[in-house]
PDB file of all heavy atoms in Angstrom:
ATOM      1  N   GLU U 290      81.271  90.451 109.278  1.00 97.00           N
ATOM      2  CA  GLU U 290      80.359  91.375 109.947  1.00 97.00           C
ATOM      3  C   GLU U 290      80.488  91.193 111.454  1.00 97.00           C
ATOM      4  O   GLU U 290      80.666  90.076 111.942  1.00 97.00           O
ATOM      5  CB  GLU U 290      78.909  91.094 109.552  1.00 97.00           C
ATOM      6  CG  GLU U 290      78.610  91.234 108.066  1.00 97.00           C
ATOM      7  CD  GLU U 290      77.220  90.744 107.721  1.00 97.00           C
ATOM      8  OE1 GLU U 290      77.009  89.514 107.732  1.00 97.00           O
ATOM      9  OE2 GLU U 290      76.350  91.582 107.433  1.00 97.00           O
ATOM     10  N   GLY U 291      80.384  92.306 112.178  1.00 96.00           N
ATOM     11  CA  GLY U 291      80.381  92.213 113.630  1.00 96.00           C
ATOM     12  C   GLY U 291      81.178  93.319 114.286  1.00 96.00           C
ATOM     13  O   GLY U 291      81.848  94.113 113.618  1.00 96.00           O
ATOM     14  N   ALA U 292      81.102  93.366 115.604  1.00 96.00           N
ATOM     15  CA  ALA U 292      81.827  94.371 116.383  1.00 96.00           C
ATOM     16  C   ALA U 292      82.293  93.747 117.687  1.00 96.00           C
ATOM     17  O   ALA U 292      81.612  92.886 118.260  1.00 96.00           O
ATOM     18  CB  ALA U 292      80.934  95.581 116.670  1.00 96.00           C
ATOM     19  N   VAL U 293      83.472  94.172 118.141  1.00 97.00           N
ATOM     20  CA  VAL U 293      83.974  93.676 119.418  1.00 97.00           C
ATOM     21  C   VAL U 293      83.202  94.323 120.558  1.00 97.00           C
ATOM     22  O   VAL U 293      82.644  95.415 120.408  1.00 97.00           O
ATOM     23  CB  VAL U 293      85.480  93.951 119.573  1.00 97.00           C
ATOM     24  CG1 VAL U 293      86.273  93.275 118.466  1.00 97.00           C
ATOM     25  CG2 VAL U 293      85.760  95.452 119.603  1.00 97.00           C
ATOM     26  N   LYS U 294      83.161  93.660 121.679  1.00 95.00           N
ATOM     27  CA  LYS U 294      82.475  94.220 122.845  1.00 95.00           C
ATOM     28  C   LYS U 294      83.289  95.349 123.463  1.00 95.00           C
ATOM     29  O   LYS U 294      82.744  96.383 123.866  1.00 95.00           O
ATOM     30  CB  LYS U 294      82.225  93.112 123.878  1.00 95.00           C
ATOM     31  CG  LYS U 294      81.462  93.590 125.093  1.00 95.00           C
ATOM     32  CD  LYS U 294      81.199  92.450 126.070  1.00 95.00           C
ATOM     33  CE  LYS U 294      80.441  92.939 127.295  1.00 95.00           C
ATOM     34  NZ  LYS U 294      80.204  91.836 128.278  1.00 95.00           N
ATOM     35  N   ASN U 295      84.597  95.146 123.536  1.00 96.00           N
ATOM     36  CA  ASN U 295      85.484  96.154 124.127  1.00 96.00           C
ATOM     37  C   ASN U 295      86.552  96.562 123.116  1.00 96.00           C
ATOM     38  O   ASN U 295      87.294  95.719 122.628  1.00 96.00           O
ATOM     39  CB  ASN U 295      86.150  95.606 125.390  1.00 96.00           C
ATOM     40  CG  ASN U 295      85.153  95.320 126.497  1.00 96.00           C
ATOM     41  OD1 ASN U 295      84.381  96.188 126.872  1.00 96.00           O
ATOM     42  ND2 ASN U 295      85.155  94.095 127.004  1.00 96.00           N
ATOM     43  N   ARG U 296      86.635  97.855 122.855  1.00 98.00           N
ATOM     44  CA  ARG U 296      87.609  98.366 121.889  1.00 98.00           C
ATOM     45  C   ARG U 296      88.977  98.605 122.513  1.00 98.00           C
ATOM     46  O   ARG U 296      89.903  99.003 121.805  1.00 98.00           O
ATOM     47  CB  ARG U 296      87.106  99.682 121.284  1.00 98.00           C
ATOM     48  CG  ARG U 296      85.886  99.534 120.394  1.00 98.00           C
ATOM     49  CD  ARG U 296      85.547 100.852 119.731  1.00 98.00           C
ATOM     50  NE  ARG U 296      84.472 100.702 118.760  1.00 98.00           N
ATOM     51  CZ  ARG U 296      84.320 101.466 117.702  1.00 98.00           C
ATOM     52  NH1 ARG U 296      85.189 102.449 117.485  1.00 98.00           N
ATOM     53  NH2 ARG U 296      83.326 101.269 116.865  1.00 98.00           N
ATOM     54  N   SER U 297      89.114  98.381 123.782  1.00 98.00           N
ATOM     55  CA  SER U 297      90.407  98.674 124.427  1.00 98.00           C
ATOM     56  C   SER U 297      90.580  97.846 125.680  1.00 98.00           C
ATOM     57  O   SER U 297      89.627  97.290 126.226  1.00 98.00           O
ATOM     58  CB  SER U 297      90.507 100.164 124.772  1.00 98.00           C
ATOM     59  OG  SER U 297      89.564 100.494 125.793  1.00 98.00           O
ATOM     60  N   TRP U 298      91.822  97.817 126.130  1.00 97.00           N
ATOM     61  CA  TRP U 298      92.181  97.244 127.427  1.00 97.00           C
ATOM     62  C   TRP U 298      93.465  97.932 127.867  1.00 97.00           C
ATOM     63  O   TRP U 298      94.481  97.891 127.178  1.00 97.00           O
ATOM     64  CB  TRP U 298      92.382  95.734 127.331  1.00 97.00           C
ATOM     65  CG  TRP U 298      92.722  95.105 128.642  1.00 97.00           C
ATOM     66  CD1 TRP U 298      91.875  94.857 129.680  1.00 97.00           C
ATOM     67  CD2 TRP U 298      94.012  94.617 129.054  1.00 97.00           C
ATOM     68  NE1 TRP U 298      92.553  94.255 130.716  1.00 97.00           N
ATOM     69  CE2 TRP U 298      93.865  94.092 130.358  1.00 97.00           C
ATOM     70  CE3 TRP U 298      95.269  94.578 128.440  1.00 97.00           C
ATOM     71  CZ2 TRP U 298      94.927  93.552 131.069  1.00 97.00           C
ATOM     72  CZ3 TRP U 298      96.330  94.033 129.145  1.00 97.00           C
ATOM     73  CH2 TRP U 298      96.156  93.520 130.451  1.00 97.00           C
ATOM     74  N   LYS U 299      93.369  98.606 129.004  1.00 97.00           N
ATOM     75  CA  LYS U 299      94.505  99.336 129.567  1.00 97.00           C
ATOM     76  C   LYS U 299      95.114 100.290 128.530  1.00 97.00           C
ATOM     77  O   LYS U 299      94.474 101.250 128.129  1.00 97.00           O
ATOM     78  CB  LYS U 299      95.524  98.366 130.159  1.00 97.00           C
ATOM     79  CG  LYS U 299      94.963  97.605 131.362  1.00 97.00           C
ATOM     80  CD  LYS U 299      96.016  96.794 132.089  1.00 97.00           C
ATOM     81  CE  LYS U 299      95.403  96.148 133.336  1.00 97.00           C
ATOM     82  NZ  LYS U 299      96.394  95.370 134.105  1.00 97.00           N
ATOM     83  N   ARG U 300      96.341 100.039 128.052  1.00 98.00           N
ATOM     84  CA  ARG U 300      96.999 100.975 127.128  1.00 98.00           C
ATOM     85  C   ARG U 300      96.889 100.537 125.657  1.00 98.00           C
ATOM     86  O   ARG U 300      97.618 101.046 124.803  1.00 98.00           O
ATOM     87  CB  ARG U 300      98.478 101.125 127.503  1.00 98.00           C
ATOM     88  CG  ARG U 300      98.727 101.838 128.840  1.00 98.00           C
ATOM     89  CD  ARG U 300     100.209 101.972 129.115  1.00 98.00           C
ATOM     90  NE  ARG U 300     100.504 102.600 130.392  1.00 98.00           N
ATOM     91  CZ  ARG U 300     100.709 103.904 130.582  1.00 98.00           C
ATOM     92  NH1 ARG U 300     100.649 104.728 129.547  1.00 98.00           N
ATOM     93  NH2 ARG U 300     100.991 104.375 131.779  1.00 98.00           N
ATOM     94  N   ILE U 301      95.987  99.628 125.350  1.00 98.00           N
ATOM     95  CA  ILE U 301      95.829  99.125 123.984  1.00 98.00           C
ATOM     96  C   ILE U 301      94.421  99.445 123.493  1.00 98.00           C
ATOM     97  O   ILE U 301      93.434  99.152 124.183  1.00 98.00           O
ATOM     98  CB  ILE U 301      96.069  97.605 123.911  1.00 98.00           C
ATOM     99  CG1 ILE U 301      97.422  97.235 124.526  1.00 98.00           C
ATOM    100  CG2 ILE U 301      95.973  97.111 122.472  1.00 98.00           C
ATOM    101  CD1 ILE U 301      97.625  95.733 124.678  1.00 98.00           C
ATOM    102  N   GLY U 302      94.312 100.035 122.304  1.00 98.00           N
ATOM    103  CA  GLY U 302      93.017 100.358 121.730  1.00 98.00           C
ATOM    104  C   GLY U 302      92.946  99.925 120.275  1.00 98.00           C
ATOM    105  O   GLY U 302      93.964  99.707 119.613  1.00 98.00           O
TER     106      GLY U 302
END
Side-chain angles (χ1 to χ4, degrees):
E290 299 171 287
V293 300
K294 183 178 180 181
N295 295 306
R296 292 186 174 208
S297 67
W298 181 75
K299 295 189 176 181
R300 292 181 182 267
I301 307 171

